[in-house]
Amino acid sequence: MSATGLSQLPPAVLEEGQRRYTAVRERIAAAAIRAQRDPDDIILVGVAKKQPVERTLAAIGAGLRVLGQSYIQEARTIRPEIEAALAADSATADLRLEWRMVGRLQRNKAALAARLFDAIESVDRLELVETLERRAKTEGRVLEVMVQVSLC
């Protein structure tokens, strides 16, 4: 996709994105109320793996602000495309998204992950945490890292 703005997406794509986003938010709100939680305290992470850029942009247009990716190479391609499309539209030029790595991360891809993501979920090895910390420092960044702990 070229760097056309969000407002240039076909109306049917935008409407479908809004419909899907609204349906998920409604399910989240209902579950939150059952659990006696504030629905606004729940972060919706839209996992965009293997989705067309247009579909991801439609979800962003509907209100999605946290994007998850489980493939480094895909994130490396899709993030610049999405950011260029948002920057091309004055209504979304200043929009800030949060990018999360939601799949298993290999240590040899830690440098790229530290550049591409704001948060890394499900880190299961101390050596990977240490590698991510070093790589993030090199990039001048601080990463949010969620550690997976086996209780058995």
Side-chain angles (χ1 to χ4, degrees):
M1 175 178 183
S2 63
T4 57
L6 185 68
S7 63
Q8 295 177 343
L9 288 176
V13 172
L14 290 169
E15 289 165 10
E16 178 69 6
Q18 185 65 57
R19 185 188 66 74
R20 287 173 175 262
Y21 179 79
T22 299
V24 170
R25 290 303 309 178
E26 287 171 353
R27 288 189 3 236
I28 288 171
I33 290 166
R34 284 193 308 273
Q36 299 178 337
R37 291 191 57 194
D38 183 347
D40 292 333
D41 289 342
I42 298 170
I43 298 170
L44 171 60
V45 179
V47 179
K49 68 179 184 180
K50 298 190 178 189
Q51 293 299 314
V53 171
E54 292 83 4
R55 193 170 185 186
T56 303
L57 285 170
I60 293 166
L64 184 68
R65 297 296 179 264
V66 182
L67 292 175
Q69 272 289 339
S70 54
Y71 301 117
I72 294 274
Q73 292 307 108
E74 185 177 358
R76 185 181 194 176
T77 302
I78 200 170
R79 182 174 177 166
E81 288 183 45
I82 289 173
E83 289 175 345
L86 295 175
D89 196 321
S90 63
T92 56
D94 294 328
L95 192 60
R96 168 82 170 101
L97 300 175
E98 179 181 333
W99 292 83
R100 292 181 179 222
M101 173 74 190
V102 296
R104 185 164 173 18
L105 178 61
Q106 298 170 343
R107 189 170 171 216
N108 65 338
K109 295 184 179 173
L112 191 51
R115 246 184 319 230
L116 289 171
F117 298 103
D118 302 303
I120 312 289
E121 298 186 10
S122 299
V123 175
D124 60 353
R125 299 175 314 281
L126 179 60
E127 69 178 10
L128 182 53
V129 171
E130 292 167 344
T131 300
L132 284 167
E133 180 183 28
R134 270 193 321 277
R135 297 300 188 166
K137 277 185 182 176
T138 300
E139 294 292 325
R141 305 185 69 220
V142 175
L143 286 176
E144 179 179 359
V145 176
M146 293 164 216
V147 177
Q148 176 181 327
V149 179
S150 177
L151 299 176
C152 300

